[in-house]
Amino acid sequence: MAEPPAEQVPDRMGTRPTRIAPAAPDEAAGAPSTTSLAAGAASAVPMADGVAPTKPAAAGPEPGSAAPSDGTPVPTVIVDGLHVVYRIYGAGTGHGNATAALRRLLLRQGSPNVQTVHAVKGVSFTAYRGEAIGIIGSNGSGKTTLLKAIAGLLPPERGKVYTDGQPSLLGVNAALMNDLTGATNVILGGLAMGMTREEVRERYQGIVDFSGINEKDDFISLPMRTYSSGMAARLRFSIAAAKNHDVLLIDEALATGDRAFQKRSEARIRELRKEAGTVFLVSHNNNSIRDTCDRVIWLERGELLMDGPTDEVVAAYEEHTNK
Amino acid sequence: MPASPAVPVLPAPATVPPVPPAPTAAELAAAHGLTPVGARSPLAEYARLLWGRRHFVVALATARQTALYSGARLGQLWQVLTPLLNAAVYFLIFGDLLGTGRGVPDYIPFLCTGVFVFTFTQSAALSGARSLTDNAGLVRALHFPRASLPLAATVAQLQQLLLSLAVLAAVLLADGVPLTARWLLAPPALVLQTLFNCGLALALARIGARTTDFAQVLPFVLRTWMYVSGIFYDLSRIAGHAPHTVRLLLDVNPALIYVSLMRYALIDSVSAHRLPPHVWPLALIWATVAASAGYAFFWSSEEEYGRG
């Protein structure tokens, strides 16, 4: 085991998911799931207590000092004991009318119905460059909240999220500008992501073709409010995928597209990974997770249940849901 | 333990602190140059990022301005018709019916200039305050310096004002106002007012993003501001009788300053002694103070926008 590059991590270690032990929560932080791009298979390396997470292989090259091309996994997202708590104001009933609002204001009562929802509870993991990570779990298990926190849109209650650059979140609710045409949205989206005007001009046709919006008619020159939800989702994905992101977070965005578009977007996700990005994919479609992801994180009630290679985690999840 | 089978484990008991020792993750992050997500860039770096998005700001402003009238049959003609109709309404009410224009030479040019120039500040403030909530979808979908949005709102209003000023120039010349060298003072006055409006829009955008009730109150504040800014009447005649402090307050009002400068630049009969005292230094001070304070105020909350 003298200086083995990460690709040569023995296979017997490569098929085992990281087990999160309750007694040693720090294991979860930075447990290096060494991804081997060359072999095309993921390997989650279980860690013994006390091994510094900065040294993935027994005597691997020092991370950070070496170039990323030598096989050392380069972390792109570190989620460290993340807790996210929502505070919902005005939950409950009977306070919707004007007099009640005025009375509350005069009596200087705070809103009595502030509810808190502890949506993500102490999740820790490390994602590496080139990985595509699926996030699975039943509805309301905190998947979308986790993505929003990674994207920096929700402040953590406790814990920290470190990322390489600014992650981009691509969700079903992320409407662009509905009263503007699809064409204008493509141009504005490209400029907003930091492309130059020339880059936008060059890629415009590619984005429109990829989205397939114009296959049936000249829909790109219509306002986006006239689009069906599937068309809008396709255009949004096409715009966001036109740029190489360091970290791309996809939240169910592919669910609405038709089969042909799903195939295209899966191919594009693979391309993005090759271009040294990290992709997170939330989906309820286990087949789409199997096709695109090499590592899967299973969330349930805001807690990380399992983190490991796709086949095993998805199998365990299916077993759990079919019970 | 590494040899254990792939079995989902139970959630951690509540007694175990769920936060792992911070140094390990932080060290790993530091070793690879990862930064805490959502942290805002330093003030100067932010300005650089913003400059990189200048084409986005202009494109967004133009798109918004075009979309505004895209549903109407007359389309973009409304960009010109709206200011004209506005001026006509004010002329009818304040000039003809109430007679506020009596004693003001060139009342129509005086009124139109005032209305157009004040509308620029007013609309920039209003659309700036709404810019983050109106574009919430964009904010949550893509990452870009959020200050682009209030700035785009201001640029959109500037485009509208330039059209209005073209209309105004036609009205002025038709009304017999001579074309003088003083018209050259209009561009610098406009630049200073635009700077002031940018700062105002940035500051109001931050308040409007946090307090949604603000958008309901703002129109009343702005209307009050319009009435004390001498848009429909010559303020210098009325303020003459006011106590010294009131007069001082009326005279440093930025809206009055920018409106007066534009009137002085464009209308021949508005003489220099009718301008508020120290008008150019005050215009410059307001522009720099508003722009820098608004920018810093907006920036200091950058990572909060788009939440919830």
Side-chain angles (χ1 to χ4, degrees):
Chain A
M1 283 285 280
E3 308 247 334
E7 292 110 87
Q8 290 165 17
V9 170
D11 261 345
R12 60 186 166 81
M13 301 178 79
T15 50
R16 204 169 293 125
T18 311
R19 191 175 173 211
I20 313 300
D26 54 327
E27 257 193 359
S33 307
T34 314
T35 304
S36 154
L37 273 174
S43 40
V45 183
M47 272 177 47
D49 287 349
V51 175
T54 41
K55 297 197 174 174
E62 201 62 37
S65 59
S69 56
D70 68 352
T72 313
V74 179
T76 49
V77 176
I78 301 177
V79 177
D80 179 21
L82 178 73
H83 286 256
V84 180
V85 176
Y86 284 103
R87 288 193 176 71
I88 295 113
Y89 297 90
T93 50
H95 293 269
N97 60 40
T99 46
L102 187 64
R103 201 183 63 223
R104 270 209 315 279
L105 210 63
L106 290 176
L107 296 178
R108 294 187 166 275
Q109 291 170 346
S111 189
N113 301 314
V114 181
Q115 281 192 359
T116 58
V117 177
H118 203 150
V120 172
K121 301 169 189 163
V123 170
S124 297
F125 64 87
T126 302
Y128 295 88
R129 188 165 290 177
E131 275 187 320
I133 302 180
I135 300 179
I136 56 176
S138 49
N139 285 345
S141 55
K143 303 185 295 291
T144 301
T145 307
L146 178 63
L147 282 199
K148 278 190 180 166
I150 295 174
L153 295 171
L154 280 171
E157 182 81 3
R158 266 180 288 155
K160 271 232 150 105
V161 178
Y162 302 92
T163 59
D164 179 17
Q166 172 65 42
S168 309
L169 175 64
L170 184 60
V172 269
N173 300 322
L176 296 177
M177 285 150 290
N178 277 328
D179 46 345
L180 304 181
T181 65
T184 314
N185 269 293
V186 172
I187 294 166
L188 286 176
L191 289 173
M193 289 191 300
M195 293 186 196
T196 63
R197 281 187 293 187
E198 289 71 36
E199 278 174 315
V200 172
R201 216 171 294 140
E202 276 165 26
R203 298 192 195 183
Y204 174 82
Q205 201 51 48
I207 295 173
V208 175
D209 291 346
F210 185 90
S211 72
I213 295 286
N214 262 5
E215 274 164 13
K216 298 206 170 56
D217 208 339
D218 185 27
F219 282 119
I220 200 74
S221 56
L222 293 180
M224 263 189 92
R225 66 183 128 84
T226 62
Y227 288 14
S228 73
S229 58
M231 285 163 68
R234 283 158 64 154
L235 188 60
R236 279 197 296 271
F237 179 81
S238 309
I239 294 171
K243 189 171 173 265
N244 295 338
H245 299 273
D246 297 326
V247 179
L248 181 62
L249 312 162
I250 304 170
D251 186 5
E252 299 266 14
L254 309 180
T256 38
D258 53 33
R259 191 68 204 135
F261 181 72
Q262 279 182 18
K263 285 274 176 217
R264 273 210 299 278
S265 27
E266 280 165 12
R268 179 65 187 140
I269 290 176
R270 277 192 284 275
E271 256 175 63
L272 284 172
R273 285 174 52 195
K274 260 190 229 129
E275 286 154 9
T278 305
V279 178
F280 285 83
L281 177 67
V282 164
S283 178
H284 285 288
N285 182 348
N286 289 343
N287 287 330
S288 135
I289 294 262
R290 276 204 186 91
D291 287 351
T292 40
C293 303
D294 45 29
R295 177 181 168 192
V296 169
I297 287 171
W298 177 10
L299 284 182
E300 210 58 69
R301 287 187 216 89
E303 282 156 350
L304 197 153
L305 273 194
M306 254 178 120
D307 176 1
T310 305
D311 293 342
E312 295 184 31
V313 182
V314 172
Y317 176 65
E318 281 175 345
E319 196 180 311
H320 172 83
T321 46
N322 291 337
K323 257 192 287 199
Chain B
M1 192 176 59
S4 57
V7 175
V9 291
L10 291 170
T15 49
V16 176
V19 182
T24 49
E27 277 166 19
L28 183 63
H32 290 279
L34 305 192
T35 47
V37 72
R40 59 171 190 261
S41 346
L43 211 54
E45 166 75 6
Y46 190 71
R48 203 186 55 78
L49 284 173
L50 205 51
W51 177 247
R53 293 299 199 283
R54 61 193 181 281
H55 298 305
F56 169 61
V57 169
V58 176
L60 180 63
T62 315
R64 281 265 175 245
Q65 202 60 26
T66 327
L68 201 58
Y69 303 109
S70 61
R73 181 169 292 205
L74 291 178
Q76 303 311 313
L77 198 57
W78 280 107
Q79 298 213 30
V80 181
L81 284 178
T82 311
L84 267 181
L85 287 175
N86 259 326
V89 168
Y90 288 130
F91 176 71
L92 189 71
I93 304 293
F94 293 96
D96 257 18
L97 287 178
L98 295 177
T100 30
R102 248 165 264 148
V104 180
D106 287 326
Y107 184 63
I108 297 180
F110 178 89
L111 178 70
C112 287
T113 316
V115 168
F116 293 165
V117 172
F118 186 80
T119 306
F120 177 32
T121 296
Q122 186 183 33
S123 325
L126 267 178
S127 53
R130 283 200 311 257
S131 59
L132 287 166
T133 39
D134 279 358
N135 293 302
L138 195 62
V139 170
R140 281 173 210 161
L142 301 171
H143 190 81
F144 55 90
R146 306 310 186 201
S148 312
L149 295 175
L151 289 183
T154 313
V155 171
Q157 298 309 323
L158 177 65
Q159 292 173 340
Q160 174 66 62
L161 177 71
L162 289 177
L163 266 176
S164 302
L165 285 181
V167 173
L168 180 67
V171 170
L172 288 178
L173 296 175
D175 203 59
V177 174
L179 185 67
T180 62
R182 284 221 306 247
W183 282 42
L184 290 176
L185 291 175
L190 194 56
V191 167
L192 290 178
Q193 194 197 359
T194 307
L195 270 176
F196 174 80
N197 287 356
C198 284
L200 188 66
L202 283 167
L204 294 179
R206 173 174 168 179
I207 301 172
R210 183 78 50 82
T211 325
T212 40
D213 296 15
F214 187 65
Q216 312 297 322
V217 180
L218 194 59
F220 300 101
V221 177
L222 289 171
R223 206 171 309 159
T224 314
W225 193 12
M226 176 161 77
Y227 291 140
V228 300
S229 300
I231 306 300
F232 312 113
Y233 52 91
D234 189 353
L235 193 73
S236 59
R237 287 156 184 259
I238 294 166
H241 315 293
H244 180 69
T245 37
V246 175
R247 176 150 198 180
L248 201 69
L249 282 176
L250 288 174
D251 277 347
V252 297
N253 172 6
L256 175 72
I257 285 176
Y258 295 120
V259 166
S260 305
L261 277 181
M262 193 60 84
R263 279 174 180 160
Y264 174 69
L266 297 183
I267 308 170
D268 186 46
S269 61
V270 175
S271 50
H273 74 266
R274 274 169 67 196
L275 285 175
H278 315 296
V279 63
W280 281 104
L282 276 174
L284 187 66
I285 289 169
W286 272 118
T288 29
V289 168
S292 46
Y295 173 71
F297 182 65
F298 185 90
W299 165 83
S300 65
S301 189
E302 169 78 3
E303 65 265 52
E304 305 283 327
Y305 304 127
R307 269 177 191 166

